[in-house]
Amino acid sequence: MEIRFAKQEDIPQLLNLLEQIGRLHYQGRPDIFRQDAQKYDAQALQALLADANRPILVAAESDKVLGYAFCIRKEVSNDPVLADEVSLYLDDLCVDSEARGQGIGGKLYEACKNLGIQMGATRLTLNVWGFNASALRFYEKCGMEKQRIYMETPLEGPKC
């Protein structure tokens, strides 16, 4: 297995993995996610492949894509509150449901960290949905810590 940058010919397999993630999100929070949700279509993936600040890594064995990591290089400069920095945001990481438990996610994660260093970043950041306990455990096992907590309540929910 190798970790490499995604190519145009990977798009159909990336779309399949994006469908898997879409289903996971819908099952976890059908009140937020659409049943037919898919973050990117083929045209959007083509544009991402051409954007140096939005690299996509894949774990591949021969021509089979076993997983992906969508990244975004972010830069803060001259913000009135935040310190200047470059970070790599891990927008989405997925391992094919049939290939989980083989260490592929960890290899993709480590490749993202190395890519971030190459891109001049000082930290790797990401977002995990509260319902996705297995992802949270995975990222904590990789050494990530909570940076902030995003909270919600229904407007007709409990009173304070």
Side-chain angles (χ1 to χ4, degrees), residues 3-4 6 13-22 25 39-40 45 56-60 65-71 90-96 104-105 108-109 112 139:
I3 306 292
R4 60 169 170 76
Q13 294 179 79
L14 291 171
L15 290 170
N16 177 51
L17 293 173
L18 284 161
E19 286 178 25
Q20 289 183 31
I21 287 294
H25 285 96
K39 194 170 192 168
Y40 304 111
L45 288 174
I56 303 170
L57 297 175
V58 296
V65 174
L66 303 173
Y68 67 64
F70 286 78
C71 300
L90 181 48
D91 184 42
D92 203 2
L93 187 145
C94 175
V95 174
D96 189 299
I104 296 167
L108 279 166
Y109 177 85
C112 290
Y139 291 121

Side-chain angles (χ1 to χ4, degrees), residues 26-76:
Y26 174 73
Q27 290 167 354
R29 287 297 302 264
D31 59 317
I32 295 176
F33 294 100
R34 297 168 50 116
Q35 185 171 5
D36 59 351
Q38 187 161 324
K39 194 170 192 168
Y40 304 111
D41 61 15
Q43 185 176 2
L45 288 174
Q46 287 176 347
L48 289 175
L49 289 173
D51 187 342
N53 286 315
R54 304 279 306 255
I56 303 170
L57 297 175
V58 296
E61 199 163 73
S62 300
D63 290 333
K64 172 110 172 108
V65 174
L66 303 173
Y68 67 64
F70 286 78
C71 300
I72 303 171
R73 184 184 185 274
K74 295 188 171 192
E75 188 166 348
V76 174

